[in-house]
């Protein structure tokens, strides 16, 4: 210890290490979703991304509409910005997302309506180009995102019957589309980690319990047919309005791990409820408390990779997406840094959780 400094004084120094460095010391990888344009436009944003994460995932730049807006015209400049940043900062990049019903350009939706052969050829061409382009740097992709249908009682329940979400992919290729996409990815890159990513499976609600059951059934079926699947991503867009209880979530994570799969937390953020207290400290304490409970459970069940969906409240989809915004001009405080890039109690809660991992 430096002469003349008591431990109390040392503790009072602001912590220089980011969450990524803290997590790494305890065998955990912490990452965050990033927007390429902001890295170039906002120096505070760039500083936060240089300091905090040890892994990146593009919030937009690796989606279909970003990568192939017109058939055969591939646009990788935005993704390349993130890949270059990742290389410069020793932050590996994971890919999100190859097969999804959202952020699909109209031409893909139209092509998927033109029959199975056309759908397979469009998917194959996308995988050929994208996986070749990212091969040396992206070693983990969300191959299929959000395949499970929302059960009754969800925010956006699906009316069509079945465990799988009704999407252009399902309509074009049938329920085997998840397996087909995984096999096509494996054929193109035998050592790529293939991940299925899903939301709405973390909380203690009947809808989440049913969605967990559906996801486990899908995964069991895939593995029983020897489909190539390495990992499951749990998005974890948590809501304080929903209860969280560790037991059912830990049992679900345990079931996935017993099947030999890695489990990642891929998109953590925490939405407040309409009834949230007005007082900022009280609001932040509730968010931090949920982050603690959730991460203690996930890390205790063997999760070793945790990504938040952004770093700062300033640019969070919780602020920009009208469907999830809070009334009265209040902004959600669901990420580790506030809108002025200051560390919040959620940051402290995450650091503590990583230290306890
Ligand atoms: O945060 C993302 C937002 O900026 C995009 O407009 C939107 C559509 O591409 O996707 C948001 O990210 C979503 C992610 O890709 C999948 N899980 C839910 C995320 C929040 O909606």
């Amino acid at each position: 210890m430096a002469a003349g400094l008591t431990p109390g004084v040392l503790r009072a120094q602001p912590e220089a290490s980011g969450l990524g460095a803290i997590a790494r010391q305890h065998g955990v990888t912490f990452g965050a979703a990033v927007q390429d344009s902001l890295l170039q436009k906002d120096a505070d944003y760039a500083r936060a991304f240089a300091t905090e994460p040890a892994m990146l995932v593009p919030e937009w730049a690796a989606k279909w509409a970003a990568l192939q807006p017109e058939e055969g015209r591939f646009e990788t400049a935005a993704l390349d910005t993130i890949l270059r940043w990742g290389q410069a900062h020793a932050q590996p990049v994971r890919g999100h997302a190859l097969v999804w019903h959202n952020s699909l350009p109209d031409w893909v939706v139209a092509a998927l309506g033109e029959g199975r052969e056309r759908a397979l050829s469009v998917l194959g061409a996308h995988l050929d180009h994208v996986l070749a382009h990212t091969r040396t740097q992206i070693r983990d992709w969300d191959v299929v995102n959000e395949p499970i249908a929302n059960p009754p009682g969800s925010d956006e329940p699906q009316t069509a019957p079945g465990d799988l979400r009704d999407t252009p992919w399902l309509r074009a290729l049938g329920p085997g589309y998840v397996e087909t996409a995984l096999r096509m990815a494996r054929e193109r890159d035998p050592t790529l980690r293939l991940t299925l990513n899903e939301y709405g499976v973390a909380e203690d609600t009947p809808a989440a319990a049913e969605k967990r059951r559906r996801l486990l059934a899908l995964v069991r079926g895939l593995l029983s047919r020897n489909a190539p699947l390495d990992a499951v991503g749990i998005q974890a867009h948590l809501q304080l309005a929903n209860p969280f209880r560790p037991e059912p979530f830990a049992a679900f994570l345990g079931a996935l791990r017993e099947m030999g799969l890695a489990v990642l937390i891929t998109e953590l953020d925490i939405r407040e409820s309409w009834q949230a207290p007005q007082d900022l400290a009280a609001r932040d304490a509730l968010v931090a408390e949920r982050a603690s409970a959730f991460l203690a459970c996930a890390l205790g069940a063997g999760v070793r990779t945790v990504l938040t969906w952004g770093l700062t409240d300033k640019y969070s989809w919780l602020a920009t997406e009208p469907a999830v915004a809070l009334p009265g001009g209040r902004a959600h405080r669901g990420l580790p840094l506030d809108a002025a890039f200051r560390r919040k109690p959620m940051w402290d809660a995450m650091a503590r959780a990583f230290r306890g991992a």
Side-chain angles (χ1 to χ4, degrees), residues 3 13 49 53 139 169 176 192 234 297 319:
Q13 304 300 311
F49 270 87
R139 301 309 306 149
W169 294 106
L192 182 66
I234 310 292
C297 174

Side-chain angles (χ1 to χ4, degrees), residues 28-117:
V28 176
T29 302
F30 167 73
V34 66
Q35 301 181 39
D36 51 281
S37 57
L38 296 173
L39 286 177
Q40 295 162 317
K41 254 191 334 235
D42 183 333
D44 293 327
Y45 184 89
R47 233 185 327 272
F49 270 87
T51 308
E52 300 290 352
M55 173 175 271
L56 301 173
V57 60
E59 187 165 343
W60 169 257
K63 292 173 181 174
W64 197 305
L67 286 175
Q68 199 187 169
E70 285 170 37
E71 185 161 16
R73 180 164 70 79
F74 288 89
E75 290 275 352
T76 59
L79 179 56
D80 292 342
T81 298
I82 294 172
L83 293 176
R84 272 196 307 275
W85 173 282
Q87 217 147 32
H89 295 82
Q91 297 166 348
V93 179
R94 65 184 307 276
H96 170 87
L98 294 170
V99 172
W100 190 25
H101 58 276
N102 201 331
S103 306
L104 278 180
D106 292 344
W107 75 263
V108 178
V109 179
L112 293 177
E114 291 164 10
R116 183 178 175 82
E117 287 317 307

Side-chain angles (χ1 to χ4, degrees), residues 59-60 63 96 100 103 145-146 235 237 267 309 317:
E59 187 165 343
W60 169 257
K63 292 173 181 174
H96 170 87
W100 190 25
S103 306
N145 191 34
E146 304 177 354
Q235 292 187 9
H237 295 288
E267 307 186 13
W309 202 242
W317 76 292

Side-chain angles (χ1 to χ4, degrees), residues 94-95 139-145 182 192-198 228-234 262 264 266:
R94 65 184 307 276
R139 301 309 306 149
D140 174 14
W141 266 98
D142 290 333
V143 179
V144 181
N145 191 34
L182 291 166
L192 182 66
R193 178 193 259 186
L194 308 181
T195 300
L196 274 190
N197 198 44
E198 190 51 272
L229 174 67
D230 304 304
V232 169
I234 310 292
L264 298 76
T266 49

Side-chain angles (χ1 to χ4, degrees), residues 306-342:
V306 175
L307 297 102
T308 46
W309 202 242
L311 277 176
T312 161
D313 296 334
K314 185 171 187 182
Y315 300 116
S316 166
W317 76 292
L318 298 177
T320 53
E321 168 60 53
V324 301
L326 286 171
R330 277 202 292 165
H332 286 286
R333 293 178 62 86
L335 285 169
L337 306 181
D338 73 8
F341 297 91
R342 287 178 301 237

Side-chain angles (χ1 to χ4, degrees), residues 171-319:
R171 274 171 253 146
L173 296 172
Y177 87 89
V178 177
E179 180 169 344
T180 301
L182 291 166
R183 290 195 189 282
M184 288 172 79
R186 176 63 34 102
E187 266 168 31
R188 283 159 178 79
D189 186 343
T191 61
L192 182 66
R193 178 193 259 186
L194 308 181
T195 300
L196 274 190
N197 198 44
E198 190 51 272
Y199 75 97
V201 292
E203 293 166 326
D204 190 25
T205 63
E210 171 60 13
K211 212 165 169 183
R212 285 193 285 271
R213 187 197 65 71
R214 293 177 179 191
L215 181 55
L216 284 175
L218 171 65
V219 167
R220 278 204 189 92
L222 288 168
L223 295 179
S224 75
R225 293 186 298 278
N226 287 319
L229 174 67
D230 304 304
V232 169
I234 310 292
Q235 292 187 9
H237 295 288
L238 305 180
Q239 303 190 38
L240 292 183
N242 292 334
F244 175 73
R245 208 159 50 87
E247 291 78 9
F249 186 52
F252 167 68
L253 298 181
L256 291 171
R257 305 243 311 135
E258 271 165 32
M259 292 189 255
L261 298 170
V263 183
L264 298 76
I265 303 301
T266 49
E267 307 186 13
L268 176 65
D269 56 25
I270 302 176
R271 225 175 293 177
E272 292 168 68
S273 68
W274 289 40
Q275 299 89 351
Q278 298 284 334
D279 173 56
L280 214 56
R283 293 171 60 195
D284 283 350
L286 289 173
V287 170
E289 186 188 316
R290 181 60 54 94
S292 295
F294 176 76
L295 287 177
C297 174
L299 296 167
V303 167
R304 282 298 168 269
T305 304
V306 175
L307 297 102
T308 46
W309 202 242
L311 277 176
T312 161
D313 296 334
K314 185 171 187 182
Y315 300 116
S316 166
W317 76 292
L318 298 177

